[in-house]
Amino acid sequence: MTEVDALTMLIEEFGDPKIFEVTESEFGRRMSLHEAIAVEMATVALPLADAVDWVREHVKVRPGFREFAEEHRPVILSSGFAELIEPVLERERVSLEVHANRLDVRADGWHPIWRDDAQCAECGEACKRGGLPTRSPVVYVGDGVSDHCAALAADRVFARDKLVAYLERQGVPFEPFEDFVQLAASLRESHSAKKGSTIA
């Protein structure tokens, strides 16, 4: 959804970037994704209202997001936090279904309230796979480490950044993307090929 991950931006601005570097390197080896996020978030002591104002001002969505959201009504499945996602959606005047974690903001730092802490039978992590829609086909759009397992369960995947490298290692087909203008065009083309007509 965003040009730069909002959680990463917030930690770099108001948390401890050195701890962030350590947790990112240890994730997948000695730390689970939830453990890494919890350590990173504990370094942020900003009042939530100030964080929301900052996110509204600094977090940018990728080109074409609003139009894509209005046309396709995607579900946002995030390992981030609803308190930081929803203000950006409101700024963009977009209302979407959001599945994300929540925040417990304390004086000693921010603490996650996990949306789902159950371990996935496939990857052993508390991942996004269980949040995928049950209807088919599922089109998945992602760019990060938290997208790995869920992307493997989708019927069609659009990927960028770290997700690209992972899917290439796994030999899983995907379509690269940079923005939502490109995504919308790709979906229209495939719809046209299947239905014999274009999407208005």
Side-chain angles (χ1 to χ4, degrees):
M1 168 178 151
T2 57
E3 292 184 351
V4 181
D5 181 73
L7 201 54
T8 300
M9 290 176 65
L10 205 71
I11 293 168
E12 289 178 343
E13 185 73 18
F14 301 106
D16 189 330
K18 292 183 179 179
I19 288 180
F20 179 75
E21 289 179 12
V22 171
T23 55
E24 290 296 296
S25 66
E26 291 297 328
F27 167 64
R29 297 192 301 173
R30 300 180 185 177
M31 302 180 77
S32 70
L33 180 62
H34 277 193
E35 288 170 340
I37 292 175
V39 169
E40 293 164 1
M41 298 311 295
T43 69
V44 179
L46 189 70
L48 183 57
D50 293 344
V52 168
D53 289 343
W54 190 89
V55 163
R56 284 179 180 271
E57 181 179 354
H58 293 92
V59 175
K60 307 300 181 187
V61 298
R62 291 188 172 273
F65 172 73
R66 183 187 302 165
E67 295 79 6
F68 183 88
E70 290 173 349
E71 181 177 358
H72 295 285
R73 311 302 302 167
V75 174
I76 295 181
L77 186 57
S78 176
S79 57
F81 298 90
E83 291 88 344
L84 305 178
I85 297 169
E86 290 166 352
V88 177
L89 293 176
E90 291 170 2
R91 185 198 65 201
E92 297 297 317
R93 300 191 299 279
V94 173
S95 177
L96 294 175
E97 184 178 347
V98 176
H99 298 274
N101 305 308
R102 307 294 303 193
L103 283 169
D104 178 10
V105 178
R106 309 177 196 168
D108 64 339
W110 291 6
H111 299 266
I113 302 172
W114 305 116
R115 178 184 62 84
D116 185 0
D117 209 14
Q119 287 189 333
C120 171
E122 297 295 326
C123 69
E125 287 268 357
C127 76
K128 297 180 183 177
R129 184 185 282 244
L132 291 175
T134 55
R135 64 185 183 276
S136 187
V138 172
V139 176
Y140 194 86
V141 181
D143 65 358
V145 174
S146 68
D147 297 305
H148 287 183
C149 189
L152 298 180
D155 300 287
R156 185 178 182 184
V157 180
F158 289 91
R160 57 179 307 280
D161 202 18
K162 294 178 181 178
L163 183 57
V164 167
Y166 173 77
L167 294 176
E168 287 178 339
R169 291 196 303 271
Q170 298 298 315
V172 174
F174 66 91
E175 298 168 65
F177 81 98
E178 285 300 322
D179 58 40
F180 289 92
V181 176
Q182 180 186 354
L183 275 172
S186 296
L187 291 177
R188 288 193 191 99
E189 288 172 6
S190 60
H191 181 83
S192 177
K194 290 180 181 178
K195 300 294 186 180
S197 61
T198 58
I199 298 175

